[in-house]
Amino acid sequence: MAEKLGIMVCGHGSRNQNAAREFAIIAEALRARNPDMPVEYGYLEFCNPVIAEGLDRLRAAGVTRVLAVPGMLFAAGHAKNDIPSVLNTYQAQNPGMVINYGRELGIDLKMIRAAGGRIQEAVDQANAELGFVDKHETLLMVVGRGSSDPDANSNATKVMRMLWEGMGFGWGETCYSGVTFPLVEPGLSHAAKLGYKRIIVFPYFLFTGVLVKRIYSYTDAVAARHPEIQFVKASYLNDHPLVLDTFQDRVKEILEGAAVMNCQMCKYREQVLGFEADIGQPQESHHHHVEGIGGGMEDCPCHGDCDASCREEDFCREHGLPWTPVHSHAAPAPLEPAFDYGASTLLGGKYGHLLNAAPDAELEAVMNASSSGKKAVHEHGPDCGCGHDHGHTHHHDHNHHDAHAAHDHGHHDHGHSHSHAHGHAHDHGHDHHHAPYPHADHPLGPKSMQKKK
């Protein structure tokens, strides 16, 4: 039987319905560029269709080989773990279908030009409405998503540097919407001390959503404290033609056999300073807890432009809405590193004695460290093209019963049980071995993103 190709665009999902509509544009654009291939899309969480549903549609259309593209700017946990885990599971359950996984959008000159276009639009509008300010009197603040993967975080800084240097702003800074540091409010508060007349805040995001709205909200809060500075909010990337062209490039890369992940700085494969315990963590997706949950209620006061207020009990009570808190495995305790990440110019902490060890012994010792969880060899997903042989096992029974499917997952052993209701129910024991972000207690970091009491 002749091979039939199809394209699958894999997104994260958002409670903001406008973000979901914007993501769908990517699939529409790829359909126009690939008229001979079926194109579907799906999400990890908070949106429908989920990724498995999109794959079901491709299979129903007779597709035997899927070209799966992550709708992600950078390769962090979602691109390296969550999406591949879903794709691997689906491929294992449907042996007649081959899924080839492409790479993230990444550091790409087309993406840089698209970002520059959005920033220039904001500069031109500000000059017209607020008066001309020289670029040398302007600070560019690029806001990245933020991740527990330092490679992805450093990519946001590289994007900022290329925009800063390419466009000639007086200064450039990077901050993040969550997980890492500095976050938006402390980042902008610091930038305001540098003496620039204008600060351009550019969310390096593909689509709108809860986080983009929060970025703009924190911008307004800092601007109110510094009326002497023009704070200008640039648009996120959205459907810029060069962004759509980059997605098409990623599809072509898979067909040409060039979809190579960046493994050189991957914390799951190499000893990244401060993240040594992450080597060889089992690949898994934690998004099954909120998979398939809709983005918002039809009668929500946000009218689809959600800022996550519907997850606040007081807000729901005020507006007569059902309160549906998001399920989480996190215990109600302070964020603290679970490993000894002692200060060091090299390995430091509990791994300091490995400094002069032979490479094989060093890797073995890290893998066998009591705090690093189960032994496993990390993988990026089906046919990621990274040139490594990735062994990996998942092994617990996990039953989902929901409106669209009932299926069993191979997964890893979990050490506690729970039950919850959010559109579908599942009972399973969990014991997650992922190392926490080692700088969770940074004074400019994640704690400042918690809701104000």
Side-chain angles (χ1 to χ4, degrees):
M1 184 176 66
E3 179 181 73
K4 183 172 181 179
L5 298 174
I7 298 172
M8 180 69 201
V9 189
C10 305
H12 180 272
S14 173
R15 289 169 289 216
N16 188 296
Q17 295 175 28
N18 291 341
R21 284 189 283 267
E22 290 176 356
F23 186 85
I25 294 174
I26 301 299
E28 295 170 5
L30 288 175
R31 288 189 185 109
R33 288 165 165 77
N34 302 274
D36 298 329
M37 295 186 203
V39 178
E40 295 293 341
Y41 64 95
Y43 305 98
L44 285 170
E45 67 174 2
F46 291 128
C47 277
N48 288 304
V50 297
I51 292 173
E53 290 178 2
L55 292 170
D56 284 342
R57 292 193 182 102
L58 291 177
R59 187 162 57 90
V63 170
T64 58
R65 181 185 176 194
V66 177
L67 312 178
V69 180
M72 307 285 171
L73 288 168
F74 302 127
H78 296 317
K80 292 178 180 178
N81 288 321
D82 301 318
I83 293 175
S85 179
V86 173
L87 299 179
N88 283 332
T89 299
Y90 192 92
Q91 182 171 262
Q93 295 171 344
N94 297 275
M97 179 180 280
V98 174
I99 303 177
N100 299 141
Y101 185 45
R103 70 184 177 101
E104 78 287 359
L105 297 172
I107 303 292
D108 188 288
L109 292 178
K110 289 179 181 177
M111 297 297 295
I112 299 297
R113 286 165 56 201
R118 295 301 189 212
I119 294 168
Q120 191 60 52
E121 290 169 3
V123 170
D124 293 342
Q125 183 175 353
N127 284 340
E129 296 178 359
L130 304 175
F132 178 81
V133 175
D134 192 277
K135 282 187 177 179
H136 288 174
E137 295 294 330
T138 301
L139 183 147
L140 173 66
M141 176 64 79
V142 173
V143 185
R145 167 62 184 91
S147 168
S148 61
D149 191 319
D151 189 24
N153 294 333
S154 67
N155 281 338
T157 302
K158 184 169 184 177
V159 166
M160 180 279 293
R161 178 69 201 191
M162 294 187 75
L163 291 168
W164 174 17
E165 191 166 344
M167 301 184 74
F169 289 106
W171 198 260
E173 295 278 347
T174 313
C175 61
Y176 302 88
S177 68
V179 182
T180 190
F181 63 90
L183 292 164
V184 177
E185 187 172 20
L188 287 175
S189 296
H190 171 76
K193 300 175 183 178
L194 300 181
Y196 287 87
K197 295 180 179 180
R198 174 184 288 170
I199 295 177
I200 303 288
V201 180
F202 170 55
Y204 194 67
F205 281 63
L206 282 173
F207 313 108
T208 188
V210 171
L211 296 179
V212 170
K213 291 179 69 65
R214 286 178 179 171
I215 289 167
Y216 291 153
S217 177
Y218 278 113
T219 300
D220 290 340
V222 177
R225 300 198 292 265
H226 297 276
E228 74 282 5
I229 302 173
Q230 289 183 12
F231 283 81
V232 177
K233 293 176 281 189
S235 174
Y236 49 92
L237 292 164
N238 201 0
D239 59 347
H240 193 287
L242 290 171
V243 172
L244 303 179
D245 288 347
T246 308
F247 270 104
Q248 178 65 13
D249 289 345
R250 297 299 172 264
V251 172
K252 289 181 179 179
E253 286 178 352
I254 303 175
L255 289 172
E256 295 169 356
V260 180
M261 278 276 189
N262 173 25
C263 296
Q264 183 180 7
M265 301 288 286
C266 179
K267 69 174 184 174
Y268 301 112
R269 295 176 174 276
E270 305 292 341
Q271 277 197 342
V272 176
L273 178 65
F275 295 80
E276 293 85 0
D278 290 357
I279 291 180
Q281 283 186 6
Q283 184 186 68
E284 58 190 346
S285 173
H286 296 271
H287 289 75
H288 54 266
H289 311 139
V290 283
E291 185 180 36
I293 295 180
M297 296 162 285
E298 292 183 0
D299 58 345
C300 184
C302 70
H303 302 294
D305 195 18
C306 184
D307 63 359
S309 295
C310 56
R311 299 298 174 187
E312 299 175 8
E313 188 173 10
D314 291 342
F315 178 91
C316 292
R317 185 181 298 110
E318 177 185 350
H319 293 278
L321 302 172
W323 179 49
T324 55
V326 178
H327 167 76
S328 173
H329 284 303
L335 290 170
E336 295 179 355
F339 305 93
D340 177 8
Y341 289 100
S344 173
T345 56
L346 292 168
L347 296 178
K350 68 182 292 181
Y351 301 113
H353 68 283
L354 300 176
L355 179 58
N356 298 315
D360 290 344
E362 176 181 317
L363 179 59
E364 182 180 359
V366 173
M367 291 288 289
N368 291 330
S370 59
S371 60
S372 63
K374 300 178 182 178
K375 295 182 185 179
V377 177
H378 190 78
E379 64 175 292
H380 287 306
D383 297 335
C384 73
C386 65
H388 295 276
D389 183 16
H390 307 310
H392 183 54
T393 58
H394 283 171
H395 56 276
H396 89 283
D397 293 327
H398 183 128
N399 297 318
H400 284 261
H401 305 286
D402 61 18
H404 67 268
H407 49 275
D408 293 332
H409 297 291
H411 204 17
H412 65 288
D413 275 343
H414 297 309
H416 70 272
S417 62
H418 64 271
S419 62
H420 52 278
H422 47 52
H424 62 279
H426 42 273
D427 296 320
H428 53 276
H430 282 16
D431 181 17
H432 295 307
H433 292 285
H434 287 286
Y437 182 59
H439 304 294
D441 58 349
H442 191 284
L444 301 183
K447 288 187 177 181
S448 63
M449 274 295 278
Q450 294 176 353
K451 294 176 183 176
K452 294 180 173 60
K453 303 299 182 184

